[in-house]
Amino acid sequence: VCSSDLPMQVDPAVASDVTTRLRRVRGQLDGIIAMIEDGRSCSDVVTQLSAASRALDRAGFKVVASGLVQCAAAEDRGETPELSRVQLEKLFLSLA
């Protein structure tokens, strides 16, 4: 998660989980492309597109949630977080 000015480091455990999720989505997308090339039904393709979309959303929400945790922790330490709650809220809403 980053703004145009301030990068935010994603927690390594979260980054690992999100990377795993994204690799699965990449596999889903390859499968969807094959389905289209094989002439599978519109219904089957759209069902798989929907599943891939939800998986991408979950990955994004996981990153934003990590940012919120980091923001709260920084505020608890009396520090200014790299991304404000408003910025993180905008990122969240961009996924919603």
Side-chain angles (χ1 to χ4, degrees):
V1 176
C2 62
S3 69
S4 59
D5 301 319
L6 300 170
M8 183 188 81
Q9 296 299 317
V10 177
D11 176 89
V14 172
S16 176
D17 182 53
V18 168
T19 300
T20 298
R21 289 171 188 259
L22 292 176
R23 285 191 177 110
R24 282 188 203 130
V25 172
R26 182 172 49 198
Q28 285 178 295
L29 292 175
D30 289 340
I32 293 166
I33 291 167
M35 290 172 70
I36 292 169
E37 291 172 344
D38 292 344
R40 294 280 297 271
S41 75
C42 177
S43 176
D44 289 345
V45 171
V46 170
T47 297
Q48 291 306 310
L49 283 169
S50 177
S53 177
R54 283 191 311 273
L56 282 172
D57 288 344
R58 285 191 301 272
F61 287 132
K62 187 111 178 158
V63 172
V64 172
S66 173
L68 287 169
V69 168
Q70 289 182 33
C71 178
E75 288 175 348
D76 287 347
R77 292 188 305 268
E79 300 171 358
T80 301
E82 293 181 23
L83 291 176
S84 71
R85 288 179 189 257
V86 170
Q87 289 170 307
L88 288 164
E89 181 180 330
K90 285 180 183 178
L91 289 173
F92 173 83
L93 292 173
S94 74
L95 295 170

